[in-house]
Amino acid sequence: VPETFNIAAYACERWAESEPDRVALSLDRPDGDARSYTFREVDRKASKFAAYLAAEGVGAGDRIAINGTQCVESLAGHLAAFKLGAVSVPLTVLLGSDGLEYRLSDCEASVFLVDEAAVDALRSVRERVDSLELVVTYGDFGVDGAVTFAEAIDGRPDRFDSEDTAADDEAFIIYTSGTT
């Protein structure tokens, strides 16, 4: 086990440097829309989002809840959390208000990157989640006080130096579906 290891550096940054045009993510949507992203593109989005979060005071150990479908913003959100040394909290879009409130409160999420499918649930619980300071949406879904992912990364630097994280630093908090 190495003394320090950063998931974003290992899973994306090294490929963005050595094989920048290699495909990192390929999305084929049911509606026929298809798009591929290179390691360079994914790393740039993650770096820009990490820079935005850092400017907002988010750092090592902070919880970043991420809910959404399989998309480049979700991937960039997780990688940005790892770059910061923050803790990624993946959440399903299928959560209702009670499940969402419990998870956001329990992990003390300070940031929520939210998909349109969870916006109504978020609206109904947001005032009861004391730790939640920043909401970033995948698109413009009319969430008061939120910024869109595109707004958050606009004008941010393409590079963000990942934090050195130790083997025993938290990286994820994962909740079960609650059906077991």
Side-chain angles (χ1 to χ4, degrees), residues 65-141:
I66 301 169
N67 118 313
T69 57
Q70 301 298 322
C71 62
V72 70
E73 293 86 359
S74 291
L75 178 56
H78 291 291
L79 291 170
F82 303 141
K83 284 176 177 279
L84 290 163
V87 180
S88 174
V89 185
L91 299 174
T92 177
V93 296
L94 302 176
L95 290 172
S97 298
D98 291 344
L100 182 63
E101 180 180 359
Y102 172 78
R103 287 159 178 82
L104 291 174
S105 295
D106 182 67
C107 75
E108 298 179 336
S110 59
V111 179
F112 188 22
L113 177 57
V114 61
D115 185 88
E116 185 174 21
V119 165
D120 289 338
L122 172 64
R123 284 188 182 114
S124 70
V125 305
R126 186 173 185 181
E127 296 304 316
R128 295 191 303 271
V129 181
D130 296 332
S131 61
L132 195 56
E133 297 174 5
L134 184 61
V135 174
V136 180
T137 58
Y138 289 81
D140 188 3
F141 310 135

Side-chain angles (χ1 to χ4, degrees), residues 49-59 62 110-111 133-134 136 147 152 156:
F49 193 51
Y52 167 76
L53 292 171
E56 293 294 319
V58 179
D62 288 334
S110 59
V111 179
E133 297 174 5
L134 184 61
V136 180
V147 298
R156 301 290 172 176

Side-chain angles (χ1 to χ4, degrees), residues 32-52:
D33 185 33
R35 173 78 162 91
S36 293
Y37 296 88
T38 65
F39 278 98
R40 178 184 2 217
E41 290 172 311
V42 171
D43 187 56
R44 284 181 176 168
K45 285 184 184 298
S47 290
K48 288 172 177 265
F49 193 51
Y52 167 76

